[in-house]
Amino acid sequence: MAARGSCPGCGSAALVEDAHYAQQQLVCAACGCVLAEGLLTTTYTEEEHLREVAYSQSTGQKEQLSRCLQRGIRRVQDLCKVLQLPMVFEETAVSYFQRALQHPCFHLVSLEKKELLGGCCVFVTCRQHNWPLTMGTICSLLYAKQELFASVYLSLQKELGLSVPALSLGDLVKTHLNSFRLFQHTADVPATFVEDKEKMVARTMQIVELASETWLVTGRHPVPIVTAAAFLSWQSLQPAARLTCTFARFCKLAGVDLPPPAHLRLKELLEILLRMASQLAWLRVFNMDKKTVVKHIGDLLQHRIFLLKNAFCLEDGEEQRATAPGEGSASSPPAAGGAAQEEGCPSEGKRQREDGRRPLLPPCLINPRKRLRTAALSASDSAITGDEPISDSEIEQYLRGPEEIRAFRKAKAWS
Amino acid sequence: MDGASPLERYLERCGGQDDLSASPQLFTPMSPYDVDLPIQTTEDVLFGSQFNQPKELPTDFSSVDLSFLPDITQDNKEQNLSEDGHEMQKEPDGSTSRNEDSSTLMDESGLSYPDATQPSPEASGACPPLTPMTPMTPVTPASESSGIVPQLQNIVSTVNLACKLDLKNIALHARNAEYNPKRFAAVIMRIREPRTTALIFSSGKMVCTGAKSEEQSRLAARKYARVVQKLGFPAKFLDFKIQNMVGSCDVRFPIRLEGLVLTHQQFSSYEPELFPGLIYRMVKPRIVLLIFVSGKVVLTGAKERSEIYEAFENIYPILKGFKKAS
C-alpha cells in the first residue's frame, strides 16, 4: 500500500510498504532506500490506533479461561496465601484445579462444590508434599460441610487418579501445637501453666508414638489423639501445679477446640500408661491411679520399649516375658506366675485384667460391642435353587381383602 | 455373554474355585493331571471334569495378572509383561509394586518354596509364561490357603416385569407395600421369606435387595413378581441379573492400616478423618474391599460369588504378611 512522505534519498514520493521476511519496511519504489524498518507493534487492532496492549491480553491468556475457572483459580490462590503455603504448592494446586474442572463430572457441579473442589486441590497438594493439613482446617476455611467435602475429595482422587500419601502424625503434632497459646506469658494464663514449646512438642511426639504402637491411632481421627497427648505431656512436665487442671480448662486456656473423642483417647492413653507403670519396679509400691501415673510419664516414656514388651503379650504368645532382676513374679498382680501367663497369653482378647498382661490389640477388639450377628445360611437355606414353586397362599398373605381395602381407602385420602 | 473373552467365560465357569488350584490345569489343558508336577489331590478330581473341553481354554494366559500371588518373582513378572496381555496393561506399575511386596512377603513369611525362583528362567523358553507358577501352586498345602470363607451378606438384583404398573393401586391392594411419591418414586415392598426388600418402579423394573444368596434373590424376585401378577398386572420375569454382591469375613488378627496404605498406595485409600477403614480397590477381580483395624474385611462390587472368594484369597496373604512384619 502506498504511504505518504518523500524519500530522503531520491525525493520520490513513491513510498511503498513492503515486508522483508515478514518485517515491515517503508521502502522507496524508485531507489530502494529503506526509510523505516519493522516497528514491533503491539497493537492487535489496526495500526492506526497504535495503542499499547498488555501481554496477557495480546496473547489471549485470559480469554482462554472461562470466568468460572478464573474465579476458581483466584480462590485457590487466596487459600494458599491464607495458609502461607510455598509458591510451588500454589502452582500445583492451580494445575490440579484446572485439570479437574475439565472433567465432565466436575464441569457442571454447583458453585459450592466448585469452591470445595478448589479446597480439595489445595488439600491434596499439601498432603503430597507432606504438609500436615487436616480436612477440618480446610472445611472451616471454606465453611463447608465435612460430608460434602469428603465426597468431593474422594471423587477428585478417583477422577484424577491421584495418590495421596497418609497424614504424617509427627508433622501434625508440630503444626497442631503451634496453635496452642501456652508458650508465652499472657494475662489469662497462670505463670505455672506456661510451658517450653520444644519440651512439650518432644514429649507429645513420644506419647503419640506410644499411642500408635498400642493401636490407639489406627482408624481414628488424628486430632483428638494429638490433643489428648498434648494435655498429658503438659501435665507431666509440671505435675504439682497442673494436675488439678481439667482437660476442658486446658483446651480453653490453650485456645484450642476440645474434640469430643479426645476424652476417650485420654482414657485409653491413661490405661496404657497404667499398665506400663505396673511393670516398673520402683512404681509397683505405689498404688497407681489415673492421676498419679501422670507424674511418672517421663520415666514411663523413657523405658517404654521395655515396658511395652512386658506389659502386653503379642497375640500369638511368642513373646517371652523377660524377667528383669527387679521384677520378681512375686510382686506381680494375682493370677500371674510366669508359666500361667505364658500359657494364658495365646488366648487372645478375653483375658482378665488382673493378670497384668493383656494382648496388644486395638480397643475395638478388647471391648467388642455385643452385636446381633445374623446366623450363617443354614442347610435348608442353602438348598434353595431359586426355581421352587411358589404357593398361592403364601402370596395371598400379602394381599389385602376387600373390606380392608375399603377401610383403608376411607382412612387414607388417596389424592 | 457372546462378547466376553474366553478368559472371562473361563473364570465364570470356575466360580468358587480357588485361583491357586485352578492354574495347573490351565497350563496343560489336554492333560489335567501332569505327572511331573505334584498336584493337590482332592480338588483336582472335582476340577477334572470341568477341563475336558480344552478347546475353549485360552493357552495364552499372559493376560491373566497373577502377580498378586505371593510366590511370583520379578523374573516371572517380566515374562508376563513381555507378552502383550490386554489386561496386564491396565496397571503394570500397580502389579509390579504388589509383586515387589510379594517378594518381600515371601522372605518374611518363610514360605516353603525356596526353589520357586529356579524353575522360572529355565522354563521360560519352553512353555507359556504360566509355567513358572505351576511348580509352586500345587505345592501349596491346603493349610496355606486362608481357610476362611467370606460370608455373603447382601445380594442386589434387578428384573424387568415388562409392564407398566400403577403404583398407587399396588400400594392400596398390597399389605406389604409402602409408597410415598413425594419421597421416592417407587413402591417399597417386603416379604418375609426370604427376608428381602424390593423397589418396584412404574416402568415395570424392579430392584430386589437383602437376600443372602443368588438363589434366594431369584426366589424372592419371583415372589414379588407373583404378588404383582396377583394384583392384576401382566407381569413377566425378564432379564433377572445380579448386580452386586456383598460379603464379609474376619481374618482374626489386627491390621496396621497405616503400613498397608504405604505399601499398596495405588490401590488403597486410608483417610482416618473420613472413615475408619481402609478402602482397597482391587484390580483383578474388580472388587472394593473395606479393611478395618479389627481384622474384619467387607468385600463388595462383585457380580459373581467367585469374585468375592478370589478377592479374599488375594488379600489374605497381603494382610498376613502385615501381621508378621509388625
Side-chain angles (χ1 to χ4, degrees), chain A residues 61-341:
Chain A
Q61 254 185 356
K62 275 253 173 70
E63 268 82 42
Q64 287 168 9
L65 303 176
S66 69
R67 203 174 321 164
C68 162
L69 190 56
Q70 281 177 36
R71 185 171 38 221
I73 290 178
R74 244 199 318 260
R75 196 85 180 84
V76 169
Q77 289 171 337
D78 290 342
L79 262 176
C80 293
K81 285 194 183 61
V82 165
L83 292 167
Q84 297 179 335
L85 302 176
M87 197 55 196
V88 186
F89 287 27
E90 198 175 301
E91 289 156 10
T92 319
V94 167
S95 78
Y96 280 149
F97 185 71
Q98 279 180 301
R99 268 173 65 193
L101 266 192
Q102 281 163 6
H103 263 269
C105 66
F106 289 123
H107 205 58
L108 301 167
V109 295
S110 63
L111 282 179
E112 189 191 2
K113 268 199 176 169
K114 282 201 176 118
E115 191 163 299
L116 281 186
L117 188 62
C120 284
C121 295
V122 175
F123 177 70
V124 166
T125 313
C126 287
R127 282 279 285 269
Q128 286 183 334
H129 291 264
N130 282 322
W131 190 278
L133 184 69
T134 57
M135 288 191 192
T137 315
I138 288 275
C139 283
S140 62
L141 279 176
L142 296 173
Y143 305 109
K145 292 178 287 228
Q146 182 139 49
E147 305 89 49
L148 197 57
F149 183 85
S151 68
V152 175
Y153 169 70
L154 290 174
S155 45
L156 175 73
Q157 205 182 7
K158 206 168 75 139
E159 290 299 322
L160 292 189
L162 301 169
S163 75
V164 184
L167 187 66
S168 99
L169 269 184
D171 296 330
L172 179 64
V173 165
K174 288 192 208 118
T175 321
H176 195 61
L177 287 184
N178 274 339
S179 57
F180 280 47
R181 286 194 293 109
L182 285 171
F183 306 123
Q184 277 121 337
H185 292 263
T186 47
D188 51 348
V189 174
T192 48
F193 282 15
V194 178
E195 185 53 68
D196 172 43
K197 189 166 173 191
E198 300 306 322
K199 277 201 272 175
M200 189 148 152
V201 168
R203 188 160 279 199
T204 311
M205 286 271 251
Q206 286 182 324
I207 297 186
V208 168
E209 273 165 20
L210 177 68
S212 123
E213 272 166 51
T214 52
W215 294 103
L216 295 184
V217 168
T218 313
R220 270 97 173 263
H221 202 292
V223 173
I225 298 167
V226 174
T227 314
F231 176 60
L232 276 181
S233 75
W234 174 80
Q235 269 194 329
S236 69
L237 285 170
Q238 264 194 48
R242 297 173 183 171
L243 263 181
T244 49
C245 179
T246 61
F247 198 2
R249 186 163 171 237
F250 166 77
C251 289
K252 215 162 78 162
L253 286 172
V256 160
D257 288 330
L258 176 54
H263 279 289
L264 292 167
R265 300 295 158 265
L266 185 65
K267 223 167 63 151
E268 285 165 1
L269 270 173
L270 283 170
E271 197 211 271
I272 299 277
L273 288 168
L274 273 171
R275 285 204 171 267
M276 286 165 65
S278 71
Q279 301 300 319
L280 208 50
W282 60 88
L283 292 183
R284 283 244 189 77
V285 287
F286 298 116
N287 215 355
M288 285 278 140
D289 72 352
K290 289 210 295 249
K291 287 279 181 189
T292 47
V293 76
V294 175
K295 294 187 220 155
H296 305 282
I297 284 184
D299 288 337
L300 294 175
L301 288 175
Q302 201 177 1
H303 303 283
R304 66 179 179 280
I305 300 171
F306 170 71
L307 291 173
L308 276 181
K309 252 207 297 210
N310 286 0
F312 304 98
C313 61
L314 299 186
E315 324 70 270
D316 43 4
E318 279 171 16
E319 276 305 311
Q320 295 297 315
R321 181 156 172 226
T323 43
E327 306 174 310
S329 318
S331 47
S332 296
Q341 281 191 1

Side-chain angles (χ1 to χ4, degrees), chain B:
Chain B
M1 290 276 281
D2 295 319
S5 73
L7 171 63
E8 285 165 357
R9 285 202 294 271
Y10 165 71
L11 283 175
E12 267 161 37
R13 262 209 310 279
C14 281
Q17 292 166 19
D18 194 354
D19 206 32
L20 295 173
S21 48
S23 1
Q25 283 77 5
L26 302 176
F27 158 52
T28 47
M30 304 310 260
S31 54
Y33 306 101
D34 191 334
V35 289
D36 298 328
L37 309 165
I39 324 172
Q40 283 173 303
T41 48
T42 49
E43 285 101 302
D44 295 342
V45 181
L46 301 166
F47 300 163
S49 56
Q50 297 238 6
F51 293 89
N52 288 331
Q53 48 274 27
K55 301 111 193 148
E56 286 185 324
L57 284 176
T59 50
D60 169 38
F61 256 87
S62 53
S63 56
V64 175
D65 179 10
L66 296 162
S67 58
F68 55 79
L69 290 169
D71 314 311
I72 195 166
T73 61
Q74 199 64 32
D75 306 327
N76 304 343
K77 188 68 186 63
E78 268 145 32
Q79 284 169 27
N80 287 339
L81 270 178
S82 61
E83 243 84 5
D84 187 29
H86 57 276
E87 277 177 83
M88 294 277 285
Q89 305 305 350
K90 252 189 247 167
E91 279 212 358
D93 47 333
S95 355
T96 317
S97 73
R98 267 149 104 199
N99 177 36
E100 283 155 7
D101 303 328
S102 308
S103 318
T104 55
L105 288 175
M106 185 168 83
D107 299 331
E108 284 176 359
S109 50
L111 295 170
S112 55
Y113 343 119
D115 59 344
T117 51
Q118 267 68 11
S120 40
E122 297 125 41
S124 56
C127 318
L130 194 56
T131 315
M133 293 304 307
T134 46
M136 301 169 218
T137 49
V139 176
T140 312
S143 59
E144 273 299 334
S145 76
S146 62
I148 305 171
V149 181
Q151 208 185 324
L152 287 179
Q153 302 291 349
N154 184 24
I155 314 269
V156 177
S157 56
T158 55
V159 72
N160 187 3
L161 302 176
C163 67
K164 293 272 172 273
L165 302 172
D166 180 354
L167 297 184
K168 249 191 242 166
N169 196 315
I170 292 178
L172 179 62
H173 290 266
R175 283 192 187 127
N176 54 346
E178 58 180 85
Y179 180 48
N180 194 342
K182 292 202 192 101
R183 202 156 52 114
F184 192 53
V187 162
I188 304 168
M189 194 180 284
R190 295 187 169 85
I191 58 173
R192 281 183 280 274
E193 185 54 50
R195 210 155 158 274
T196 50
T197 305
L199 302 173
I200 307 177
F201 294 84
S202 55
S203 61
K205 299 259 171 69
M206 182 171 83
V207 180
C208 173
T209 62
K212 298 274 190 220
S213 77
E214 303 91 317
E215 298 82 15
Q216 273 192 1
S217 191
R218 190 186 160 84
L219 180 61
R222 282 175 57 225
K223 289 190 180 173
Y224 287 113
R226 280 291 284 276
V227 171
V228 172
Q229 268 180 352
K230 285 230 183 276
L231 289 170
F233 298 95
K236 302 195 199 49
F237 195 76
L238 306 178
D239 306 325
F240 174 79
K241 184 171 180 224
I242 306 264
Q243 299 290 356
N244 185 25
M245 300 173 71
V246 181
S248 72
C249 58
D250 188 359
V251 300
R252 301 194 189 285
F253 52 82
I255 302 169
R256 291 244 173 240
L257 301 178
E258 310 96 340
L260 181 58
V261 76
L262 276 178
T263 49
H264 290 79
Q265 211 172 35
Q266 299 93 322
F267 310 104
S268 328
S269 157
Y270 169 55
E271 296 290 337
E273 295 179 71
L274 291 182
F275 188 63
L278 185 147
I279 303 171
Y280 192 100
R281 294 181 191 275
M282 195 175 280
V283 172
K284 176 144 177 35
R286 210 160 150 267
I287 301 279
V288 173
L289 297 95
L290 302 176
I291 304 169
F292 296 90
V293 68
S294 55
K296 304 229 170 24
V297 180
V298 173
L299 307 99
T300 180
K303 292 266 196 300
E304 298 260 329
R305 189 188 280 249
S306 59
E307 289 176 12
I308 295 217
Y309 296 155
E310 201 186 324
F312 182 68
E313 292 302 320
N314 293 354
I315 201 80
Y316 188 71
I318 297 172
L319 298 179
K320 242 179 92 173
F322 258 96
K323 170 193 181 190
K324 294 223 173 122
S326 61

